[in-house]
Amino acid sequence: MNKNTVPKRAIDWAAFEPKHLDDALALSRQAQWPHRLEDWSLILSLSRGLVAVDAGSGRLVGTVMTTPYGEDAATINMVIVDEGWRGQGLGRRLMDEAMALADGRPLRLVATSDGLPLYEKLGFREVGTVLQHQGEAGPVPPVEAEEVAAAGTGELAAIVALDREAFGADRRLLLERIAGPGSFTLLRRNGAPVGFAALRDFGRGQVVGPVVAPDADGAKALIGPLVAAHPGKFLRVDTTADTGLAPWLADCGLRPVGGGIAMRRSAPAAAAASPVPVSTFALASQALG
């Protein structure tokens, strides 16, 4: 046998269950991802997933999850292959399983450059660039004054509606899971809610996202107070290149540290016209969109 030839090894497949979380966390640490056990648990609570187990050793060597948002969309995420199993087609098998779990929903994911060729073969197409900004929060450059305040307990419905308009699918369950005291900030214009930002614990510190607003000024008005309220604390924002927020985020102390390629499979349905169009200026996470 050629010394460079790796023999095929048997895989056992199992539904991703809470009992697999510790091993999945170890796999993500091997890949140098920042996720905590709580971050994995949140995604699992919203998703259906599979694990690949080495049939010989019983060791977990691959993970994947599909997170559905109603019938309108799903994200594929947490695609990890153990470094000792790479180059053997396991990534393709994980993706095939994840796509089957989506039950025909239009799909979204954030790809690395290494994964791009596989995803293109599977019918995904590039739709944008995700820019990851993080670091210790610094002074915030002045932003235009806006009416921004913590969301009240009865305002989740307005937040869900704004998010659906921007994202194109119903993410009520996600927003309910991350809701808590002080977790949402609302932007109002003429007394009406037109944008929001979420803040939650994630990885090394906290993540700001999703952020939905009618324009970049509104997004800055939402993000700015959150950065200013956490001087010296580790914050992360995943934005996209088309928002134009990247230079401003860097001025806030959140430096660019990479990102990914936003991809979709199946064209999104045309959005209905809205009196106050809004867009997503920061993702909930690269896994959840």
Side-chain angles (χ1 to χ4, degrees):
M1 179 184 295
N2 187 306
K3 66 179 181 179
N4 294 321
T5 301
V6 179
K8 293 289 185 181
R9 290 174 281 178
I11 283 289
D12 290 331
W13 295 94
F16 201 137
E17 299 179 1
K19 67 182 180 182
H20 297 120
L21 285 170
D22 286 332
D23 289 339
L25 177 63
L27 203 60
S28 63
R29 286 176 174 168
Q30 181 195 88
Q32 299 185 327
W33 290 11
H35 296 68
R36 307 166 302 151
L37 191 64
E38 295 90 341
D39 302 323
W40 273 97
S41 183
L42 171 64
I43 298 171
L44 180 58
S45 74
L46 298 165
S47 309
R48 298 174 65 195
L50 289 168
V51 295
V53 178
D54 183 332
S57 67
R59 189 167 62 88
L60 189 149
V61 295
T63 63
V64 70
M65 290 199 219
T66 299
T67 308
Y69 296 123
E71 298 300 320
D72 298 318
T75 62
I76 293 180
N77 51 62
M78 312 311 282
V79 185
I80 311 180
V81 175
D82 180 89
E83 58 188 14
W85 278 76
R86 293 173 191 167
Q88 299 182 60
L90 182 55
R92 170 63 185 259
R93 294 173 67 186
L94 287 165
M95 283 297 299
D96 287 341
E97 297 289 347
M99 290 165 63
L101 290 175
D103 292 330
R105 293 175 176 85
L107 294 170
R108 310 183 190 191
L109 58 78
V110 177
T112 63
S113 56
D114 289 341
L116 185 61
L118 169 60
Y119 300 137
E120 288 180 333
K121 288 178 183 177
L122 293 172
F124 287 84
R125 295 294 176 261
E126 182 176 347
V127 294
T129 302
V130 176
L131 306 175
Q132 180 178 331
H133 284 254
Q134 64 185 40
E136 294 184 359
V140 178
V143 298
E144 185 174 341
E146 295 265 18
E147 184 183 349
V148 173
T153 55
E155 294 180 302
L156 184 61
I159 290 169
V160 170
L162 288 165
D163 184 73
R164 180 183 177 89
E165 182 183 335
F167 187 82
D170 189 340
R171 299 199 293 178
R172 173 180 292 274
L173 185 57
L174 165 63
L175 298 168
E176 288 176 344
R177 292 283 166 82
I178 65 177
S183 57
F184 287 110
T185 302
L186 269 179
L187 167 69
R188 291 180 174 84
R189 288 178 179 169
N190 299 318
V194 295
F196 74 91
L199 177 72
R200 63 184 176 87
D201 293 339
F202 174 82
R204 296 170 55 189
Q206 293 180 296
V207 62
V208 180
V211 176
V212 169
D215 48 47
D217 286 339
K220 292 175 183 179
L222 284 160
I223 298 170
L226 298 176
V227 176
H230 296 83
K233 301 296 184 180
F234 187 87
L235 295 179
R236 172 172 169 170
V237 178
D238 290 289
T239 187
T240 51
D242 60 349
T243 67
L245 288 185
W248 180 80
L249 290 169
D251 288 343
C252 293
L254 308 183
R255 65 188 184 280
V257 294
I261 304 157
M263 306 192 79
R264 293 192 183 190
R265 187 174 186 268
S266 297
S274 168
V276 186
V278 293
S279 301
T280 300
F281 284 82
L283 310 183
S285 70
Q286 292 190 30
L288 296 171

